[in-house]
Amino acid sequence: MEALNCPKGHGPMAQKKIKKQKTFKGIDIEYSADAFICSECDLEAGTVQSAGDIQRAIADTYRKKIGLLTGQEIRSLREAKELTQQQLADAMNVGVASIKRWETGMIQTRSMDHALRIQLQYTIRADSYTGNREISLPRIKLVSETFERTFRKRLLKSGNKLLFLAKYLWYADMLAFRQLGRGLTGASYAAMTYGPQLNNYRDLVKSIQESDVKDAEVLSQEELRVIHQVADKFSDERQVYDAAHREKIWLESKMGALIPYSCANELSEF
Ligand SMILES: [Zn+2]
């Protein structure tokens, strides 16, 4: 790409990565693009990439944000399994054109995403203490705020041991794992004397509060349904607290031990 000169006469413009914002399918996403910028007057002239590249960047950022595999992920997982596009298409009973489109920017449906994950064995991860997810503090905050909005009450407060919030989060994470194959937040939970608790909550509370929910993967309809299921069942903080203390998987855990998500099937309240 040849250099551009600033039309206001400031000489050659420098090529820079800039952050762009866009609302796509109702979701705010931020992606980066290369553009020519005048260092003198900040004028931005034409992005360097083609429209197709930009579309791909938007589609991938969107997919990441709503928890779908990105095109790049589909391609690299497929290649890691030494499958051709045709072989993957055959295994999924779809046309090869679909695989090509998903890898280059078309957004797959959630059920197709699920089928892709099964074929590409994406979800297999050794430890069962984070519910098939990496811990995300912004997501913990997002789920907490969803409960707070439902109850119109603050639950995330510093210095209160998250006594009630931790139980809501625990039920929501476990139930999501049971119903959707994946927790909501990636948090680990320990069995404490006062019930299931976010592991290392003391170190986490402040970071959770300071995190930005805009960095969180947005909640899918299915995930919201799980949260509302928990909120409907325990509309009162005392209820969720008492219910957690009746759970066999907590009663039978060694104090301080992590509670594996694989126990989700044994929840007695749901
Ligand atoms: Zn200029």
Side-chain angles (χ1 to χ4, degrees):
M1 193 85 191
E2 57 191 283
L4 282 178
N5 282 317
C6 174
K8 294 185 189 163
H10 296 134
M13 300 168 89
Q15 191 178 321
K16 274 191 193 157
K17 265 215 179 326
I18 52 165
K19 292 243 183 270
K20 292 263 199 187
Q21 264 151 6
K22 191 178 165 73
T23 304
F24 182 72
K25 291 177 180 255
I27 288 184
D28 290 328
I29 57 173
E30 198 176 75
Y31 63 100
S32 55
D34 290 314
F36 288 106
I37 311 270
C38 173
S39 52
E40 208 85 24
C41 68
D42 285 336
L43 182 86
E44 177 197 325
T47 41
V48 178
Q49 291 103 329
S50 67
D53 284 344
I54 290 169
Q55 246 171 18
R56 258 193 291 288
I58 292 170
D60 272 354
T61 312
Y62 173 80
R63 283 190 277 190
K64 197 165 237 150
K65 192 131 195 207
I66 67 162
L68 299 174
L69 292 169
T70 66
Q72 184 56 52
E73 284 170 336
I74 297 169
R75 174 177 289 266
S76 50
L77 287 166
R78 175 178 62 74
E79 287 173 351
K81 294 214 79 191
E82 298 184 348
L83 290 172
T84 63
Q85 290 178 324
Q86 186 66 58
Q87 285 169 326
L88 178 57
D90 293 344
M92 290 177 64
N93 208 12
V94 298
V96 69
S98 296
I99 307 290
K100 287 186 176 153
R101 288 195 209 108
W102 294 331
E103 288 187 0
T104 53
M106 195 174 144
I107 296 161
Q108 67 276 24
T109 61
R110 207 164 274 279
S111 63
M112 279 296 137
D113 191 74
H114 187 67
L116 278 166
R117 282 169 198 266
I118 289 170
Q119 289 305 325
L120 301 170
Q121 297 180 356
Y122 178 79
T123 51
I124 295 171
R125 226 172 267 169
D127 84 288
S128 63
Y129 296 109
T130 61
N132 266 331
R133 248 185 208 282
E134 273 171 47
I135 186 164
S136 161
L137 301 182
R139 257 234 160 183
I140 296 179
K141 190 173 187 185
L142 178 62
V143 174
S144 304
E145 286 186 354
T146 307
F147 277 116
E148 288 180 332
R149 261 201 309 279
T150 311
F151 298 135
R152 295 192 197 150
K153 191 177 201 171
R154 287 195 66 76
L155 297 166
L156 182 58
K157 293 174 272 195
S158 22
N160 76 342
K161 293 187 177 175
L162 304 181
L163 222 46
F164 304 108
L165 177 61
K167 272 95 186 153
Y168 280 119
L169 290 172
W170 180 65
Y171 270 118
D173 261 330
M174 295 294 263
L175 203 57
F177 182 82
R178 186 163 96 187
Q179 295 179 359
L180 311 171
R182 233 178 150 202
L184 300 176
T185 69
S188 301
Y189 295 89
M192 307 301 279
T193 45
Y194 46 87
Q197 173 62 282
L198 275 179
N199 194 34
N200 296 327
Y201 75 93
R202 276 190 201 83
D203 301 330
L204 290 181
V205 177
K206 196 154 180 275
S207 316
I208 295 169
Q209 283 176 317
E210 285 169 359
S211 67
D212 187 346
V213 291
K214 286 212 263 341
D215 296 331
E217 183 187 320
V218 296
L219 294 162
S220 69
Q221 288 307 314
E222 293 97 330
E223 289 176 326
L224 280 170
R225 216 183 45 226
V226 169
I227 295 173
H228 291 144
Q229 203 181 336
V230 174
D232 288 347
K233 176 109 191 171
F234 310 120
S235 55
D236 179 86
E237 290 171 323
R238 200 69 223 180
Q239 288 175 348
V240 77
Y241 186 87
D242 292 343
H245 284 80
R246 289 194 296 269
E247 293 290 351
K248 188 166 67 84
I249 52 182
W250 171 75
L251 289 167
E252 292 177 359
S253 289
K254 225 171 89 204
M255 280 311 112
L258 292 180
I259 306 172
Y261 278 76
S262 50
C263 290
N265 287 327
E266 298 163 44
L267 286 180
S268 57
E269 299 287 322
F270 289 91

